[in-house]
Amino acid sequence: MKTLGIIPARYASTRFPGKPLADLNGKTLIQRVYERVVAAPALDAVIIATDDQRIYDHVLDFGGKAQMTSSDHQSGTDRCAEVAHAFPEYEVVLNIQGDEPFLAYEQIDRVAQPLHSGRAEIATLAMPIVDSSDLFNPNAVKVVFDAQNLALYFSRSPIPYLRGLPEAEWLAQACHFRHIGLYGYLRSTLLEIAPLPIAGLEKLEALEQLRWLYHGKSIHVAITDRAIIGVDTPEDLEKAKALLGDLW
């Protein structure tokens, strides 16, 4: 099964306008991500999906592949679906965040594997929570899954809830997992879920993946012990510059 990696990239950002074109030690952030991902053994091809001419032109300038997409998309999933329409030869599609220049090849592979083996229609990543600040942070999405690692629910609240125990003991008494936003889909499933109507749970939690669960789609949750370091703010960019200098 051929696998296509798609990197959605928007210029507009509330916290960091122009983020894809920000300089990261001599190359733009989007170039760093593309060059990192394009070398991943699990991917047969990589393309950047954008609605901004500046990003599109820049990607072509450094030798990458890009496709212009509609500016009306509400999510990266929708943008990936538009690109996937044009590439029927790829049976598996990975949605890769354009602000994660340190993504590990192993993590990409762990998301692709259950799709290739037929264990799920959609796959994603999670990692054990080790800091209570993450457990009770609504911006850190939590996930619980069954014995086959299929997601049961995603929430901004701590799940599972440990009844009868003080919150200070929750991490010591049970495993909690933080969701990481790397997604893989069977192409046929991606094209099916993109036009689905918003579900009530999705609206309440503001989590797109709850729409897919609501409509009966299986989501395999692969586990990683390595945190994904993203660049959400200019402060994060400075941290990435220091880390990049240490690694390379």
Side-chain angles (χ1 to χ4, degrees), residues 177-207:
F177 290 89
R178 177 175 180 169
H179 176 231
I180 296 173
L182 171 65
Y183 290 108
Y185 329 82
L186 296 179
R187 177 180 177 273
S188 57
T189 300
L190 172 59
L191 298 184
E192 183 181 351
I193 64 175
L196 287 175
I198 293 175
L201 289 172
E202 173 191 4
K203 187 179 295 186
L204 292 170
E205 294 250 24
L207 296 175

Side-chain angles (χ1 to χ4, degrees), residues 54-86:
R54 290 163 291 188
I55 295 174
Y56 178 84
D57 292 342
H58 172 64
V59 174
L60 297 187
D61 284 344
F62 70 69
K65 296 181 180 180
Q67 179 173 320
M68 288 293 290
T69 56
S70 171
S71 59
D72 295 330
H73 293 313
Q74 298 300 307
S75 69
T77 303
D78 295 337
R79 204 171 300 281
C80 286
E82 181 181 344
V83 174
H85 269 290

Side-chain angles (χ1 to χ4, degrees), residues 23 29 33 42 45 49 61 67 84 88-89 93 98 120 148 160 171 192 209 232 237:
D23 178 76
L29 176 60
V33 174
D61 284 344
Q67 179 173 320
E89 66 272 26
V93 175
Q148 284 72 48
L171 283 183
E192 183 181 351
Q209 58 270 40
D232 294 321
L237 182 67

Side-chain angles (χ1 to χ4, degrees), residues 116-170:
H116 284 272
S117 65
R119 283 179 283 163
E121 303 165 279
I122 305 170
T124 191
L125 272 180
M127 64 174 297
I129 295 176
V130 297
D131 190 327
S132 61
S133 64
D134 285 336
L135 183 60
F136 297 100
N137 179 0
N139 293 317
V141 178
K142 275 66 70 172
V143 60
V144 287
F145 43 86
D146 67 14
Q148 284 72 48
N149 277 66
L150 297 180
L152 296 170
Y153 193 68
F154 297 83
S155 182
R156 297 185 181 278
S157 296
I159 50 175
Y161 180 92
L162 275 61
R163 180 183 176 189
L165 288 178
E167 293 180 351
E169 297 181 16
W170 284 16

